[in-house]
Amino acid sequence: MDTIASLFSFITWPVSWVIVQFHKVYGAIFGPDTGWAWGLSIVSLVILIRICLIPLFVKQIKATRAMQTLQPEMKKIQERYKNDKQRQSEEMMKLYKEAGTNPLSSCLPILAQSPFFFALYHVLNGIASGNKIGYINDAQLASARQAHIFGAPLAAKFLDGADTVAKLGASLTDVRVVTALMIVLMSASQFYTQRQLMTKNVDTTVKTPFMQQQKMLMYVFPIMFAFFGIRFPVGVLVYWLTTNVWTMGQQMYVIHNNPTPGSKAQASYLDRLLKHVTHHGKTRGRGEKAIVKAIVAKGRDRNEFERKFINGLNKAGLTAQPDGTVVKSDGAVTVQSEDGTTTTEPATGATPRRQQPKRQTKAQRQSGGPKAAGAGDPESEPTTSLTKSTEPQDAPPTANGKAAPKPGNGARSKAQSGQRKGPQRPKSPSKK
């Protein structure tokens, strides 16, 4: 570790200078020789570094999104070359090159922090051995050696012996307890961050090497932190625990406000957004408009959660616009199903249109069939039976033995059956 730290000695001076400047501020509040002054200086160094790495983190998010969009193509390559792993890897690398992304993009923040981490380790290791490193002078070196965090010196390690710890003015039990607790918290925060990414912010419907890589990192990183943590000084553990907590909070913010398409986090986000938009009748803020704009632009390529969101807006009488805004819609709305087909349904709260009666065919008019559905309002018009009456007729039979029709029944039947007035063309005889 000392050899690796020496490779990053070029950044030791800037790191030590930043720590000293923060120590001057906190030393005036808590005292220059206290663990709070030196511990908060290290925490402030972490925050400053992570703020500077925010543009790199945004680039990491974009690269991760690009990997998500490539998953359908990656699945096709896997199915096409499932019996040829070498050709499969070559096609995957070709696809990454064309898209301008890389599966290792998720490690960019960790790689960018490495120089600062090893420079800080070099500084704290020099404090433990009593050597001046970087910008730290003799007075500051003595002050740092006297600083304790919960009874453990900043330069003490879990593997240090009782004699080494005694020279730093502490007990071996305090050092072991504090370092073990910090190592557990450091590994647990790293595991939770990766697990949160895998379970909530990844589209698990497509199995890709990227998914396997993230799953491997979820278990490998905590083990690595536990293995190297017993060799880290307390000050480095403070640094790494702080950066892990920052990463966890940053990841939670991204999952909550800008989730990966197709993930469980997106389903939760779109449910919240749907309730918010339907309640207020509009999208608020550039973030919400950007999400709605991206969903509208996908068209038939929307995933299940995005279709549910658009259908929910339509049923509420709202229509999403290409610029990310929503407007009220009247009448029927278009609902998209899972296979991409669309159907028309009435909007919630919209006034239904009055249906026009269907025109009867010529055969229905001649046979006196029933009226088309919706021909009139049954409550406002008297109901008239068009079927043959079963009651006995009062009219006397004629000479040929048939009963004479009631006066006016024929005209009324013709009018009710929809026949036109005037002579009708006789039916042609049916062919036997």
Side-chain angles (χ1 to χ4, degrees):
M1 182 66 72
D2 293 336
T3 304
I4 298 176
S6 62
L7 295 176
F8 296 93
S9 59
F10 67 93
I11 203 173
T12 301
W13 276 87
V15 168
S16 60
W17 182 84
V18 172
I19 292 178
V20 169
Q21 301 310 311
F22 280 123
H23 177 261
K24 290 180 180 179
V25 176
Y26 294 117
I29 301 174
F30 301 101
D33 300 333
T34 59
W36 286 103
W38 286 102
L40 290 176
S41 300
I42 297 174
V43 172
S44 300
L45 174 67
V46 175
I47 295 175
L48 179 63
I49 293 174
R50 295 309 300 266
I51 290 175
C52 295
L53 292 178
I54 286 178
L56 184 61
F57 179 75
V58 173
K59 185 177 180 180
Q60 175 197 7
I61 293 296
K62 292 182 179 179
T64 306
R65 294 288 189 271
M67 291 294 299
Q68 293 290 333
T69 58
L70 291 179
Q71 285 189 0
E73 297 297 329
M74 295 165 69
K75 184 177 180 181
K76 292 179 182 178
I77 293 176
Q78 283 182 323
E79 294 176 351
R80 186 180 304 170
Y81 305 106
K82 59 183 178 181
N83 296 326
D84 190 349
K85 298 297 182 180
Q86 182 177 358
R87 182 65 184 278
Q88 184 181 119
S89 300
E90 293 176 355
E91 293 295 326
M92 287 289 188
M93 295 304 298
K94 183 179 178 181
L95 182 63
Y96 297 151
K97 186 176 180 180
E98 292 176 353
T101 186
N102 195 300
L104 298 178
S105 58
S106 60
C107 302
L108 287 177
I110 296 177
L111 296 176
Q113 288 184 84
S114 299
F116 303 96
F117 168 76
F118 288 114
L120 178 63
Y121 176 84
H122 195 43
V123 171
L124 294 175
N125 195 46
I127 293 174
S129 58
N131 299 324
K132 293 189 297 182
I133 300 294
Y135 193 79
I136 297 178
N137 56 31
D138 293 332
Q140 292 163 347
L141 177 62
S143 175
R145 288 178 63 86
Q146 295 177 10
H148 292 65
I149 297 178
F150 301 109
L154 287 176
K157 306 174 186 177
F158 182 85
L159 296 179
D160 285 344
D163 296 338
T164 304
V165 173
K167 292 179 181 179
L168 297 174
S171 66
L172 184 61
T173 303
D174 292 340
V175 172
R176 293 282 175 88
V177 171
V178 172
T179 52
L181 181 61
M182 295 181 71
I183 290 171
V184 170
L185 292 176
M186 185 177 63
S187 301
S189 60
Q190 179 66 36
F191 177 79
Y192 180 78
T193 300
Q194 287 296 126
R195 188 176 184 276
Q196 184 179 227
L197 178 66
M198 288 295 300
T199 57
K200 294 183 178 180
N201 206 39
V202 173
D203 187 0
T204 56
T205 58
V206 182
K207 303 298 181 182
T208 63
F210 173 73
M211 296 282 296
Q212 298 298 325
Q213 177 202 15
Q214 293 295 324
K215 187 176 182 180
M216 179 185 65
L217 293 177
M218 181 174 66
Y219 296 99
V220 170
F221 274 161
I223 297 175
M224 289 177 57
F225 283 125
F227 177 77
F228 289 109
I230 59 177
R231 294 167 172 81
F232 289 161
V234 173
V236 175
L237 294 178
V238 171
Y239 174 92
W240 209 247
L241 177 60
T242 306
T243 194
N244 280 2
V245 172
W246 176 284
T247 302
M248 182 174 62
Q250 191 171 245
Q251 187 69 45
M252 291 175 65
Y253 176 82
V254 172
I255 290 175
H256 188 270
N257 295 282
N258 190 19
T260 300
S263 63
K264 294 180 179 179
Q266 189 196 30
S268 301
Y269 175 80
L270 291 181
D271 285 341
R272 297 192 305 268
L273 183 59
L274 179 61
K275 294 178 181 178
H276 170 77
V277 173
T278 52
H279 177 71
H280 295 280
K282 61 179 180 179
T283 53
R284 297 190 301 182
R286 290 183 297 178
E288 292 184 358
K289 291 182 180 179
I291 294 293
V292 175
K293 180 179 179 180
I295 294 176
V296 173
K298 288 185 178 182
R300 296 174 63 91
D301 296 331
R302 301 182 189 116
N303 58 44
E304 176 187 357
F305 311 126
E306 293 165 346
R307 285 193 297 267
K308 182 180 177 182
F309 173 74
I310 294 296
N311 294 341
L313 287 179
N314 291 340
K315 291 181 179 180
L318 299 172
T319 303
Q321 301 299 307
D323 60 351
T325 60
V326 295
V327 296
K328 293 184 178 180
S329 59
D330 298 325
V333 297
T334 302
V335 178
Q336 186 178 14
S337 60
E338 295 184 1
D339 57 358
T341 58
T342 58
T343 57
T344 303
E345 296 182 1
T348 304
T351 304
R353 298 181 180 179
R354 184 176 180 181
Q355 296 182 354
Q356 298 295 332
K358 294 182 180 180
R359 187 172 180 179
Q360 293 179 327
T361 61
K362 184 177 179 180
Q364 288 176 335
R365 292 196 303 268
Q366 291 179 348
S367 62
K371 290 185 178 180
D377 189 358
E379 297 181 0
S380 59
E381 295 181 4
T383 305
T384 308
S385 175
L386 300 181
T387 57
K388 187 176 179 180
S389 177
T390 56
E391 297 180 2
Q393 303 293 331
D394 297 333
T398 56
N400 55 9
K402 294 182 180 180
K406 248 183 180 182
N409 280 353
R412 185 181 306 168
S413 299
K414 290 180 181 179
Q416 291 176 353
S417 62
Q419 289 186 355
R420 298 177 181 177
K421 295 181 179 181
Q424 303 295 323
R425 188 171 65 179
K427 294 183 181 178
S428 57
S430 57
K431 296 181 180 181
K432 295 183 180 180

